[in-house]
Amino acid sequence: MVIGLGLVLAGCQTERPPAPVIAPPPSCHDIDFSIYFEPGSAGITREAAQLISSARDRAQGCRVTGIVVVGLADAKGTRGANLELSKARADSVSRFLAASGFSNVEFREGAAGAAGAATPAGAQKPLRRRADVAIHLAPPS
């Protein structure tokens, strides 16, 4: 009899309404990443486009206070050609970022060319075919 009474009482419990879902505020920390290029190219690859899309998603809900893009080149080729290539890489990334939703943002671009691409002994440093990106974020105002 006690067991039957317990089952009856258990069935009489009222359901509580679900607690409201409170979304945490966005994490508005700066985003730093590198975009890599094919040799001699300033074209945005599929992987680079996905990386930029991911950065856009991470920046949602935040205020973008500025973006810095610095193009680099490896040590192969002439100094002038490497500087032009690194400028083209920075410009390509900046244009793609703007077209991907980072519009009305101040962009600062730089180009390092092949500066720093080789050690004092002449060894080439790897992974210099890139543009380094820093997206500066702040909480929404």
Side-chain angles (χ1 to χ4, degrees), residues 113-131:
T119 67
Q124 292 187 17
K125 294 182 180 176
L127 302 176
R128 288 280 304 190
R129 295 185 314 264
R130 70 178 195 267

Side-chain angles (χ1 to χ4, degrees), residues 93-122:
V93 171
S94 294
R95 284 186 286 113
F96 199 90
L97 283 162
S100 297
F102 290 101
S103 54
N104 300 322
V105 175
E106 180 183 345
F107 282 86
R108 289 191 354 236
E109 290 183 12
T119 67

Side-chain angles (χ1 to χ4, degrees), residues 64-135:
V64 180
T65 60
I67 298 176
V68 178
V69 181
V70 178
L72 297 103
D74 56 26
K76 296 178 183 172
T78 67
R79 180 179 175 170
N82 284 332
L83 185 58
E84 288 304 312
L85 180 57
S86 64
K87 286 178 184 177
R89 287 174 173 164
D91 183 59
S92 177
V93 171
S94 294
R95 284 186 286 113
F96 199 90
L97 283 162
S100 297
F102 290 101
S103 54
N104 300 322
V105 175
E106 180 183 345
F107 282 86
R108 289 191 354 236
E109 290 183 12
T119 67
Q124 292 187 17
K125 294 182 180 176
L127 302 176
R128 288 280 304 190
R129 295 185 314 264
R130 70 178 195 267
D132 293 332
V133 180
I135 301 174

